[in-house]
C-alpha cells in the first residue's frame, strides 16, 4: 500500500510537471513611432447662411472658424487641402492649406505645417450664389515620423437660405481669408 501511494504521488507530480512550461512568454515587439492625429472644432455647426461678409466678389454664403488640433505630439507637413460641398470636390474651392489656415490667436505657427500638439486656425465654408447643404475639408501630408497622413474633417451642415433668397448658378468664390477670421 505504501509503495502504491508513493507510485501515485510520483505519477501525479510527473503529470503536473508536464503541464508546466519552462519557456518564457515572447516579448512583444516595441511599438513604432507615433502617427499624427487630429481633432477639428468649428465655431458653428450648422453654419447659417450669411447675406454679406463672405467675400468681396461673392458676399453671400456660409463660413465659420475652424481649428485643427494635432493630438499625438507629432508635427505634420500639409501638402494638400481638398474642400467638398455636398460630398463632391468643389473646383471653385481649389486652394492651398496656407490660404485657408494660419496661426491660432497667441500660438506659434509655421506655414504649411501643424506643429506637434499645436494647432492651425482659419475660416472655412463656401461663398457662392449656388445652394448646398454640406461642406467638408480634408488635409493630406506627411508627419515628422514619415507616415502618410490623410484626414477628413467632420461634415459641416449648411443652413438654409432665408426665405426670398434665390439660389443662382455661378459667381462662386472662396470663404474669407484667415486674416479676416474670428479666431
Amino acid at each position: 500500500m505504501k509503495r502504491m501511494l508513493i507510485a501515485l504521488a510520483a505519477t501525479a507530480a510527473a503529470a503536473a510537471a508536464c503541464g508546466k512550461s519552462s519557456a518564457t512568454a515572447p516579448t512583444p515587439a516595441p511599438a513604432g513611432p507615433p502617427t499624427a492625429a487630429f481633432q477639428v472644432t468649428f465655431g458653428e455647426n450648422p453654419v447659417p447662411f450669411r447675406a454679406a461678409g463672405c467675400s468681396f466678389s461673392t458676399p453671400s454664403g456660409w463660413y465659420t472658424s475652424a481649428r485643427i488640433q494635432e493630438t499625438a505630439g507629432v508635427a505634420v507637413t500639409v501638402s494638400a487641402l481638398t474642400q467638398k460641398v455636398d460630398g463632391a470636390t468643389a473646383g471653385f474651392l481649389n486652394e492651398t492649406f496656407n490660404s485657408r489656415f494660419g496661426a491660432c490667436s497667441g500660438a506659434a505657427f509655421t506655414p504649411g505645417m501643424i506643429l506637434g500638439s499645436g494647432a492651425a486656425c482659419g475660416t472655412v465654408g463656401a461663398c457662392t450664389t449656388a445652394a448646398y447643404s454640406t461642406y467638408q475639408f480634408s488635409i493630406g501630408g506627411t508627419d515628422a515620423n514619415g507616415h502618410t497622413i490623410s484626414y477628413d474633417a467632420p461634415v459641416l451642415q449648411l443652413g438654409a437660405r432665408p426665405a426670398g433668397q434665390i439660389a443662382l448658378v455661378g459667381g462662386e468664390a472662396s470663404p474669407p481669408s484667415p486674416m479676416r477670421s474670428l479666431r
Side-chain angles (χ1 to χ4, degrees), residues 17-119:
C18 287
K20 293 184 180 176
S21 173
S22 62
T24 58
T27 304
T35 301
F38 304 97
Q39 179 179 12
V40 172
T41 54
F42 297 108
E44 302 169 279
N45 193 7
V47 179
F49 178 81
R50 293 176 172 89
C54 202
S55 78
F56 179 75
S57 61
T58 308
S60 61
W62 302 266
Y63 58 92
T64 190
S65 62
R67 178 185 177 95
I68 307 172
Q69 177 74 49
E70 197 289 318
T71 60
V74 181
V76 175
T77 300
V78 179
S79 58
L81 172 69
T82 304
Q83 299 178 86
K84 298 178 265 188
V85 288
D86 291 346
T89 299
F92 71 95
L93 294 174
N94 187 15
E95 300 174 274
T96 65
F97 177 77
N98 290 339
S99 70
R100 282 293 106 224
F101 292 93
C104 298
S105 181
F109 180 77
T110 301
M113 293 186 75
I114 302 171
L115 302 177
S117 300

Side-chain angles (χ1 to χ4, degrees), residues 147-162:
H147 301 117
T148 299
I149 301 299
S150 179
Y151 177 79
D152 294 329
V155 174
L156 279 174
Q157 299 300 314
L158 304 179
R161 292 174 178 267

Side-chain angles (χ1 to χ4, degrees), residues 1-13:
M1 173 90 161
K2 193 174 189 183
R3 283 186 188 182
M4 190 187 266
L5 287 176
I6 293 173
L8 284 174
T11 304

